[in-house]
Amino acid sequence: MTDQAMRAVAALLSREDTRAAERPVLGELTAEGTATTSGAELRAEVMRVARHAERLRPAVIAVLDGSRSSIAVLLGLLAAAVDVVVVEAGNSHLRDERSVIWSAGARTLIRPESSAVPAPTGPTELTYDDLLAPGPATSPTPPAGSGSASPGLLLLTSGSTSEPRLARQPMRAAVRGGELYRSIHGYGPADRILLPVPVAHSFGLIGGLFAGLRAGAQVLTMPKFSAGRLVRALADGASVVLGTPLLYSMLVRAWGTEAHAPGLRLLLSSGGPLPQETADAVRRLCGVPVYQVYGSTETGLVACQDGSRETWQPRSVGVFAPGVQWELLPDTPGDESGGSGHRLAVRTSTMFTGYSDGGPGPGPGLYETGDLVRISDTSEVFLLGRKQTFINVGGKKVNPQRVARLVGDHPDVADVHVFGVEERGEQTVHAAVVAGPRGGAGLAGEVIALCRERLAAHEVPHHVHLLRALPRSALGKVDISALRAAAGVKEDEA
């Protein structure tokens, strides 16, 4: 362990008075009820993990299922100055031997007891229980200086302009990000912060877990999501919810015509634009607005709505967060007119420092988000479009290049292009496939079966179009308009 690493984790677990130490800080929602961990218990578990984890430097892959044990393991690894590649349990990257997570230099994979991981040959596997076991570590501690003084979180990006990458965010920046959420939205010891979103993603990890622990609140996680469990947690007094547009639409359906959420005061939404119809339905049912959050893995929080205004304009993502430096760049180089919007470049206090593959961070300048925005006279930020190519399915981002690579592994696929189509307000995944010499009429079904085996459910193409060839421009790039026409996808659906 290093003093700097311990101080970073201690900043999340700093409430030392007796009453605070005995108060539940974690709650795990299960079919049987809510299992809790007090502040004192969490600190003891973190120290236990840290003693075992010193031998695991410099980096590990941690599969987080949202359980209380997974959180103690994550914090203990960071306290031991271990860099942590954070992966959600069930993430399809765990089944992809060519995924970036396996090339980050981690020699150990840590997983839940009940969840075997089809890892490539190489990483040693440990379970949560191995690190939470009492007693000193049995392996020798490495020489001083073999770990990172400031541990880092290596978080999967959406890979919007290429395949997904691992962005490194120092622990101190992640703690600072949690403090931003805490101060903007007034998290406090009386709050019960509900996370139906994964703690392995930056929104749940920083805006929920780190911010909640920093505030001395109780953080409620849901390792296995169910709408019924979500509704029961709200009825039992959850005061803050972090969700996605899909989750809020599910909540509206589960509530029906009447909501019972006596302690509810704050709803946050990230992962894509929240349909106004859903936002209106939530407010009508429970009397609490849903505030939009805008940020990225590389930047952390960029802008958000909050309680400082009675109303926010439709499709606004709020105003820039404290400390954000920003600049608007022409959409087309040399075009100063603004057209349909400007490219947004920012610098935040929670900026990443680089990528695991050696790709540089933003340096001293501003980082281009890839988003087209407009800033109103009231300083509200409006997202008009994205330069990136990922597909947003129910608030979860699908990388089309990665899906295309996996589809291309089918021996009878000669060429493939994956793209998104908006249908009735929701994006769907489409794959245009060219069959090889042995490919027949059943290839579309075979492609779907392959994707279901190797991808998460939201990544599997909704439609597979068999084409004779992919239409390409004179430069060899896929002609998107011609492709949509050949696949029978109407332009007004895109």
Side-chain angles (χ1 to χ4, degrees):
M1 287 176 269
T2 69
D3 289 342
Q4 189 172 347
M6 281 303 302
R7 283 197 299 271
V9 175
L12 301 177
L13 308 172
S14 60
R15 307 184 72 85
E16 298 291 350
D17 62 276
T18 303
R19 291 182 62 187
E22 297 306 318
R23 182 189 302 131
V25 294
L26 295 180
E28 181 180 334
L29 305 182
T30 69
E32 292 74 33
T34 303
T36 62
T37 297
S38 71
E41 289 170 334
L42 180 58
R43 280 194 293 274
E45 290 179 346
V46 168
M47 291 304 298
R48 194 180 304 150
V49 171
R51 285 193 294 271
H52 285 279
E54 286 185 329
R55 72 187 192 272
L56 303 179
R57 298 170 183 162
V60 302
I61 298 169
V63 181
L64 303 186
D65 63 1
S67 65
R68 294 172 297 148
S69 295
S70 72
I71 291 169
V73 165
L74 173 65
L75 296 176
L77 290 166
L78 294 168
V82 177
D83 289 345
V84 184
V85 179
V86 179
V87 185
E88 178 188 358
N91 191 303
S92 64
H93 281 264
L94 294 167
R95 304 191 297 273
D96 181 2
E97 293 191 3
R98 286 180 285 170
S99 169
V100 67
I101 67 172
W102 303 116
S103 59
R107 297 191 298 267
T108 306
L109 181 140
I110 300 166
R111 62 171 177 81
E113 288 70 33
S114 60
S115 176
V117 174
T121 304
T124 300
E125 288 195 34
L126 296 174
T127 67
Y128 298 162
D129 281 352
D130 291 330
L131 295 182
L132 287 165
T138 56
S139 298
T141 301
S146 62
S148 168
S150 178
L153 294 156
L154 295 166
L155 303 174
L156 274 166
T157 70
S158 60
S160 47
T161 56
S162 61
E163 287 236 10
R165 305 171 80 180
L166 288 172
R168 179 187 172 89
Q169 186 172 62
M171 179 63 179
R172 59 180 178 274
V175 172
R176 192 158 54 241
E179 178 61 23
L180 269 177
Y181 275 88
R182 185 205 65 77
S183 61
I184 291 171
H185 299 294
Y187 293 1
D191 276 316
R192 304 181 75 213
I193 300 173
L194 179 60
L195 302 182
V197 296
V199 295
H201 294 180
S202 57
F203 182 43
L205 180 66
I206 296 170
L209 177 63
F210 285 7
L213 291 176
R214 187 78 177 89
Q218 182 180 3
V219 178
L220 302 170
T221 62
M222 195 180 300
K224 292 186 178 179
F225 176 81
S226 80
R229 204 167 295 167
L230 174 62
V231 169
R232 285 195 298 274
L234 289 167
D236 288 342
S239 58
V240 177
V241 179
L242 276 67
T244 63
L246 176 61
L247 182 137
Y248 287 114
S249 66
M250 293 173 63
L251 183 57
V252 168
R253 292 194 295 271
W255 263 335
T257 58
E258 183 178 355
H260 182 57
L264 188 60
R265 71 170 188 86
L266 176 66
L267 299 169
L268 301 178
S269 178
S270 184
L274 180 71
Q276 192 61 43
E277 180 182 358
T278 301
D280 292 343
V282 172
R283 184 160 196 167
R284 185 169 58 250
L285 282 167
C286 68
V288 176
V290 184
Y291 293 142
Q292 290 267 262
V293 174
Y294 165 56
S296 71
T297 303
E298 286 92 344
T299 63
L301 181 64
V302 173
C304 64
Q305 299 174 346
D306 58 31
S308 63
R309 303 187 185 191
E310 185 65 28
T311 59
W312 294 88
Q313 295 185 50
R315 302 189 69 82
S316 156
V317 293
V319 296
F320 288 111
V324 174
Q325 303 171 42
W326 58 275
E327 183 179 349
L328 298 182
L329 308 174
D331 181 17
T332 303
D335 175 15
E336 301 294 337
S337 67
S340 59
H342 289 82
R343 302 187 338 267
L344 175 66
V346 301
R347 184 166 193 84
T348 70
S349 62
T350 55
M351 192 75 74
F352 79 123
T353 58
Y355 295 102
S356 65
D357 58 8
L366 300 180
Y367 170 79
E368 277 209 48
T369 64
D371 294 322
L372 293 176
V373 305
R374 175 177 64 84
I375 312 297
S376 73
D377 294 339
T378 57
S379 300
E380 291 183 66
V381 182
F382 294 82
L383 293 183
L384 304 180
R386 301 187 72 90
K387 287 293 186 185
Q388 296 103 321
T389 58
F390 66 72
I391 305 164
N392 192 320
V393 178
K396 294 186 176 182
K397 293 179 175 58
V398 177
N399 183 283
Q401 295 191 44
R402 180 165 175 265
V403 175
R405 171 170 63 79
L406 292 172
V407 170
D409 285 345
H410 191 292
D412 295 333
V413 171
D415 204 358
V416 57
H417 184 80
V418 175
F419 58 101
V421 173
E422 187 163 320
E423 299 174 353
R424 297 180 294 277
E426 296 288 342
Q427 283 196 298
T428 54
V429 182
H430 289 239
V433 171
V434 176
R438 296 180 300 173
L443 182 58
E446 294 173 17
V447 165
I448 293 291
L450 175 67
C451 290
R452 285 175 176 163
E453 177 185 337
R454 301 178 62 183
L455 294 170
H458 68 279
E459 297 172 302
V460 176
H462 299 80
H463 304 280
V464 174
H465 309 278
L466 295 181
L467 304 179
R468 292 182 178 275
L470 298 184
R472 296 183 181 275
S473 68
L475 296 177
K477 295 184 178 181
V478 173
D479 183 328
I480 300 300
S481 296
L483 176 67
R484 291 178 184 275
V489 177
K490 296 180 180 178
E491 286 290 342
D492 61 2
E493 292 180 333

